[in-house]
Amino acid sequence: MTWPANAFFTASGWNRSGDTGLQANLTIGGSAPFTTRIFANPGLTHLAMLRQRLLLGNLQPDPAASAKITAGKATVTDGNDHVCLTVLELGAPAVWRRVCRKVGPPSSPSQYVSTSFRSRGGYLLVCASATGFSTSGQAMTGMDLCIDDTCHGTIQIFANNKNWHLAFVPADFLIKSIPAGDHSLVATPAAGTTIDSNDAYAITIFEVMAPPTVLNVTQVLANAPAARQTGGEWVASGGFSSYGGTLIITSAASAYSHDDEAKLGMTIQVESQDVGSMQAFANPKGVHLGLPGNDLVVTGINAGKRTVGSGRWDRHRRQ
């Protein structure tokens, strides 16, 4: 028997000369390769690529199935780079189904994409990742996501340098009580953001099936501003209720360092217990960079109200 499977995938890398695209390719079992990318303006600078939400289809039973990640021809990696991959194999009935996936360069300088999709109604989970740049520098950049002319979220990153294409901090937005029928999705650059053919986006919409299949769906943090701190302190935290058992925690963040050639990172905790981390390498000081988003499978959670947060990575500031 086979079950539908999803993969959550991102990576970082760099290029020696700059002004070229970075790329990582994922193959699982006999699947076709899936690609994540970003345009690298500066050379010798580690950058996070887009986070992808991928539907693998039905995987054949294979205890020895392997995941292989390869780099594009112009993409260099070393021990300071990171790859994050989570494969989620769903049972029957599936707790969610994909209703929309759009990936590519922007359709025009004024919008990433405009598309339609159909929903049965209920919960939607909108997973968004994209890149953009500022023509002036020292500006907040991002992408706005609207469904049926209502803005449901923004993903952002602070651009220190002008004309640097940067990955925004990806986010997953929960939309409750969406009516059944046809809907429109429009993704546009946020105020202060410029996009061109070197930019990219990845948007996936999952329809979360209604109870009793789904016990609980909680959006704890999405594009939340970070607390100001100078290393080793909490960046953000939030509460949620759990039925216990196994949790999937999706995490992403941006950060910067006061020092050149420094490692950035954040630790994710549930009830003060470390469950995972995100890391990136900062070549220039004072430049806000996206960390490769991580998706964590956490087991043995007791039922009740719980707290999840990120922080406590010494010596570095985060945003």
Side-chain angles (χ1 to χ4, degrees), residues 6 28 46 80 118 155 177 185 291:
N6 293 266
I28 296 182
H46 298 258
N80 292 311
R118 177 167 292 183
I155 57 175
S177 302
L185 165 73
L291 310 182

Side-chain angles (χ1 to χ4, degrees), residues 97 99 117-124 178-183 207:
R97 70 183 188 101
V99 297
F117 65 93
R118 177 167 292 183
S119 172
R120 298 175 183 174
Y123 287 99
L124 292 182
I178 197 81
D182 294 325
H183 303 277
E207 187 171 63

Side-chain angles (χ1 to χ4, degrees), residues 41-74:
N41 295 89
L44 306 177
T45 301
H46 298 258
L47 296 171
M49 303 178 209
L50 295 187
R51 181 166 66 179
Q52 298 276 13
R53 293 283 194 264
L54 307 169
L55 179 62
L56 301 177
N58 289 0
L59 295 179
Q60 296 298 319
D62 184 358
S66 62
K68 182 179 180 181
I69 297 172
T70 58
K73 291 184 178 180

